[in-house]
Amino acid sequence: MEADTYTQSAFEAELPIPRGMARIMRFSNDQPTNHVFRRGAHYWLDLCLTPRPEKARGCYSERWGPHRFERLGEIFLVPPGEALHVRTDAGDNQASIACEIHADSVDHWLETPLEWTDRRLEGGLDIVHPYIRSCLSRLAEEMRHGGTGSAELAAMIAGQLAIELARYLEAISESPITGGLASWRLRLIDERLHRGGSTPSLGELAELCSVSIRQLTRGFRSSRGFTIGDHIAQTRIEMAKRALASDDSIKSIAFALGFASPSSFSYAFGRATGVTPLRFRQRHLRGRE
């Protein structure tokens, strides 16, 4: 890691895992951030527990040059030996669970060594994977509320996380992208999702992009490495996290995001994050104190 990476962060808790470490970290974002993650022999996984700052972007400048910055999702990955340049706007303080896993713990499960293609690097900047998210969230809960057998349970969760990460990375094809959606179509999809309101149907998004539903679903997966359904669901959760940092009522947030009721919003949010919207808001408020 570069020397300036965590000058504005603090550890809330940490938990050793086999050949690695999991930490809950709090970042001060009162100023725009501009730093570089460089991992040695470890994979670095970051799951935001509070909303990421607006316009959080990452660039593998040694691979892509200094100007190509891609969006950072709820979960992002920095591979061993790679340097990720991260920029964000100023905003509220942020909390994340950061998990370091030795490369051998993940690579052991790979059928063949990975080639870190542009597509695979980009796919690691926005990981939409329910099992990876679940493992990271479970480690965070264990750090905060661990009890009997905590070390043994953390080791098992970390073992599952290593396997799920290996599977995810293998699923991103090493071949050149063919049949993917054009960048302007991907941008239109993201712009529509961030407008809020009722969840767009596949038909609406296909019409927006001037393609068939089949072309939309296959092209999106080819471009991003995950399904458009997963992307829609995760985008709504990220928007919910940002809204919960405001003074809007949970009921109004649920309807603004297109949920049929506050209870359906609470169920979806809890399934994705492991906590209720109210509990998430309370944690966010404590982090700002």
Side-chain angles (χ1 to χ4, degrees), residues 56-92:
R57 297 289 187 270
C59 172
Y60 287 101
S61 55
E62 295 174 2
R63 298 271 200 145
W64 299 344
H67 304 299
R68 178 187 170 187
F69 278 81
E70 302 289 348
R71 174 181 172 275
L72 293 182
E74 183 186 33
I75 304 172
F76 73 83
L77 165 75
V78 184
E82 299 290 342
L84 178 65
H85 186 181
V86 174
R87 290 178 178 170
T88 72
D89 289 350
D92 290 333

Side-chain angles (χ1 to χ4, degrees), residues 67-275:
H67 304 299
R68 178 187 170 187
F69 278 81
E70 302 289 348
R71 174 181 172 275
L72 293 182
E74 183 186 33
I75 304 172
F76 73 83
L77 165 75
V78 184
E82 299 290 342
L84 178 65
H85 186 181
V86 174
R87 290 178 178 170
T88 72
D89 289 350
D92 290 333
N93 293 345
Q94 180 202 333
S96 288
I97 172 171
C99 191
E100 287 186 278
I101 308 174
H102 195 278
D104 290 346
S105 299
V106 176
D107 296 349
H108 168 75
W109 300 104
L110 300 171
E111 292 186 4
T112 58
L114 289 179
E115 177 187 352
W116 286 101
T117 59
D118 281 357
R119 189 178 180 202
R120 191 164 271 133
L121 289 170
E122 184 177 350
L125 296 182
D126 186 9
I127 296 178
V128 181
H129 191 287
Y131 299 143
I132 291 176
R133 185 188 310 115
S134 175
C135 289
L136 290 168
S137 297
R138 190 66 186 86
L139 284 173
E141 287 300 308
E142 196 61 29
M143 275 184 274
R144 284 169 164 159
H145 309 294
T148 302
S150 183
E152 291 78 6
L153 182 56
M156 289 187 283
I157 297 169
Q160 180 185 350
L161 179 59
I163 295 172
E164 298 292 358
L165 181 57
R167 289 179 174 181
Y168 174 81
L169 294 173
E170 281 186 327
I172 302 176
S173 172
E174 296 182 23
S175 60
I177 296 176
T178 57
L181 295 179
S183 59
W184 65 268
R185 289 190 167 103
L186 295 171
R187 184 175 66 254
L188 285 177
I189 292 170
D190 286 338
E191 288 174 352
R192 169 59 184 89
L193 295 178
H194 282 92
R195 285 206 304 267
S198 60
T199 303
S201 66
L202 293 180
E204 177 186 344
L205 294 177
E207 183 177 355
L208 182 67
C209 295
S210 301
V211 295
S212 68
I213 293 177
R214 180 178 175 83
Q215 288 173 317
L216 174 76
T217 55
R218 295 185 67 177
F220 189 92
R221 188 179 186 96
S222 179
S223 296
R224 294 281 180 88
F226 47 86
T227 70
I228 191 168
D230 284 341
H231 182 60
I232 292 170
Q234 192 53 44
T235 297
R236 286 215 295 177
I237 294 302
E238 291 180 3
M239 292 173 66
K241 287 182 175 182
R242 295 190 184 282
L244 288 168
S246 71
D247 295 329
D248 295 343
S249 69
I250 292 176
K251 180 178 180 180
S252 66
I253 292 171
F255 290 128
L257 292 174
F259 288 93
S261 65
S263 60
S264 63
F265 168 52
S266 182
Y267 175 78
F269 190 88
R271 185 175 59 180
T273 66
V275 296

